[in-house]
Amino acid sequence: EGTVTADVCVVGGGFSGISTALSLAERGYKVVVLEAQRVGWGASGRNGGQMIAGISGEHRIEAQLGEAGRQLLNDIRYLGHDIIEGRIARHQIRCDLKRGWMEVAARPRHMAAMRAYVEERRAAGDGDQLEIVEQGDMARVIGSSVYYGAMVDRRSGHLHPLNLCLGEARAAAALGVRIFEESPVTAVGGGAKPFAETADGRVAAASIVLAGMMDPAFQTGPLRGLLFPTGCYIAATEPLPERLADEINPQDLAVADSNVVLDYFRLSADRRLLFGGRCNYSNRDPRDIRATLRPRMVEVFPQLADVGLEYAWGGKIDIVLTRVPAIGRREANVYYMQGYCGHGVNTTHIAGEIVADAIAGTMERLDLFEKIRHVRLPVGQFLGNQLLALGMLYYRLRDLL
């Protein structure tokens, strides 16, 4: 309520906003965060908890930016991991961090791309943590016979995402960041006097950061026609007996398959299997998430046919058509970051650091992201989602065939 002042006002209390606020507070900035719901309420708190190297859309970055793009990707590939691990250690955040992530080949042809990627990374001198697992050796990494091999990244991993977001928020608050929950932003302005307004309050700041998925009213300028919220769903089994948990996931890896419309899963700290996927691009949630996910889970792990699903939930992830995260400026002092395309745990922290750097005067990485040419649909969001759903149906059919 009322008017408060700050150096920076961050709109959004998920990973993007909290990570940016913490980065700025560590540099001495006075920061206010406005969140419409609660900290971590959206994708940041309900995602699959997979901390995956790099960002989505890397091939497009290389194609558009050439050597500068390749250098950028090398510089930021594990930057999010470093930030997250550093904060967990400094602030004693209990979020069940575990090393080890694996992409499994859903089709035999997918192995060629994995082998080429590992060879390329090793040739560049940063692939020591990567390994290829051939089909005949898959039993040592997963208790399923439906895959044709895998790539393991020992530097990536998994964690409890909501606990990480809440831990970072507490760390930010301890450094003086003011976080206002249940305070939806109704208007944002840049220019000579940047501001963000809520129903009963106003923040006057030198810079505004639009962090994460925004209300369509704020999708203007370079954000118009760019972002398409996509439904994604997870079910959690009852706690598994130790023998069964070790059988299906003997190395406790986070796992994602190589399809465009993919499945992903991991074991929680209390030994439940968290099984996610069945992305929905039509903005229509399934009537029964458990019934939607169970057939595929049992197809992958027949051992779980009689295991109960105790929890199920869903939410929206933000997709951009180029798959490259959108990081830049709507105006000179109004920054944005969104469109992580399912790689948010890592990429939000990268984006937060890039925007914090820019506010502090180091613009090089932000400038590169602003050079990326994005594809926009010249239609409203509803029709855009129907077109996107049609396009993803094509990829789903390709995955199946």
Side-chain angles (χ1 to χ4, degrees):
E1 297 179 354
T3 299
V4 298
T5 61
D7 298 320
V8 183
C9 178
V10 177
V11 181
F15 276 143
S16 295
I18 296 299
S19 184
T20 305
L22 183 50
S23 289
L24 289 166
E26 289 171 339
R27 304 170 195 225
Y29 287 84
K30 181 181 178 182
V31 184
V32 168
V33 175
L34 303 177
E35 163 56 38
Q37 303 286 342
R38 302 295 297 273
V39 166
W41 182 88
S44 298
R46 64 185 76 188
N47 68 78
Q50 301 205 7
M51 187 178 72
I52 305 170
I55 63 176
S56 62
E58 291 188 355
H59 64 289
R60 291 186 181 273
I61 293 176
E62 289 193 25
Q64 291 193 29
L65 300 182
E67 182 56 36
R70 283 187 287 275
Q71 186 60 53
L72 172 67
L73 293 172
N74 286 337
D75 290 345
I76 67 175
R77 181 164 288 118
Y78 292 103
L79 175 61
H81 297 47
D82 293 337
I83 293 169
I84 290 168
E85 291 169 356
R87 289 174 177 173
I88 289 171
R90 284 196 304 278
H91 304 293
Q92 297 298 295
I93 299 173
R94 298 176 63 181
C95 61
D96 307 322
L97 176 65
K98 182 90 175 185
R99 287 279 186 93
W101 174 84
M102 174 169 65
E103 182 179 23
V104 289
R107 296 290 180 269
R109 67 179 185 275
H110 295 172
M111 284 299 294
M114 291 184 193
R115 292 189 187 98
Y117 178 76
V118 172
E119 290 173 4
E120 178 183 325
R121 292 280 303 282
R122 287 176 177 169
D126 70 341
D128 290 346
Q129 68 276 22
L130 304 176
E131 64 181 275
I132 290 293
V133 182
E134 300 295 346
Q135 187 175 9
D137 202 24
M138 286 291 282
R140 70 180 177 87
V141 291
I142 192 169
S144 175
S145 60
V146 303
Y147 302 115
Y148 297 88
M151 179 191 71
V152 178
D153 182 351
R154 301 290 178 185
R155 181 71 180 81
S156 293
H158 54 101
L159 48 78
H160 189 304
L162 180 57
N163 284 351
L164 173 62
C165 193
L166 293 173
E168 290 182 301
R170 294 186 187 102
L175 290 176
V177 175
R178 300 181 69 187
I179 301 173
F180 296 90
E181 297 180 304
E182 298 178 354
S183 300
V185 170
T186 57
V188 167
K193 295 183 177 180
F195 69 90
E197 289 184 347
T198 68
D200 301 307
R202 179 184 179 94
V203 181
S207 299
I208 307 292
V209 179
L210 303 176
M213 192 182 295
M214 290 286 110
D215 185 289
F218 300 123
Q219 300 291 123
T220 60
L223 299 178
R224 189 180 305 277
L226 183 66
L227 188 69
F228 295 90
T230 300
C232 204
Y233 309 96
I234 301 175
T237 68
E238 60 192 356
L240 303 178
E242 200 71 21
R243 176 199 57 79
L244 183 54
D246 289 343
E247 178 184 341
I248 65 172
N249 195 342
Q251 298 189 22
D252 201 3
L253 304 172
V255 183
D257 76 28
S258 56
N259 283 326
V260 175
V261 185
L262 78 164
D263 300 318
Y264 55 92
F265 45 89
R266 68 182 181 91
L267 292 171
S268 64
D270 59 351
R271 311 304 276 174
R272 303 172 189 270
L273 181 71
L274 309 183
F275 192 93
R278 307 293 94 172
C279 285
N280 184 327
Y281 295 83
S282 65
N283 264 340
R284 295 179 180 175
D285 293 333
R287 293 181 180 178
D288 187 334
I289 295 173
R290 291 174 178 84
T292 299
L293 290 171
R294 176 178 283 281
R296 178 56 179 165
M297 183 187 77
V298 173
E299 183 181 355
V300 175
F301 296 115
Q303 309 95 311
L304 303 182
D306 298 324
V307 170
L309 295 177
E310 290 196 348
Y311 301 95
W313 66 93
K316 295 291 191 289
I317 58 176
D318 43 345
I319 298 291
V320 289
L321 295 185
T322 58
R323 300 285 171 157
V324 178
I327 307 171
R329 288 166 293 180
R330 202 181 73 176
E331 303 174 50
N333 48 12
V334 179
Y335 299 81
Y336 62 81
M337 58 185 88
Q338 57 185 220
Y340 309 117
C341 303
H343 286 245
V345 173
N346 173 52
T347 310
T348 49
H349 291 79
I350 296 170
E353 193 73 3
I354 289 172
V355 169
D357 284 346
I359 291 172
T362 303
M363 303 291 297
E364 286 82 358
R365 289 173 177 169
L366 185 79
D367 288 344
L368 288 173
F369 273 97
E370 287 193 311
K371 290 179 181 179
I372 298 295
R373 298 184 300 277
H374 285 279
V375 177
R376 294 171 173 79
L377 290 180
V379 294
Q381 191 176 88
F382 175 78
L383 182 56
N385 273 100
Q386 308 315 306
L387 293 173
L388 188 58
L390 191 62
M392 294 312 294
L393 176 60
Y394 163 76
Y395 283 108
R396 177 66 178 153
L397 291 172
R398 281 190 59 183
D399 290 341
L400 292 172
L401 295 173

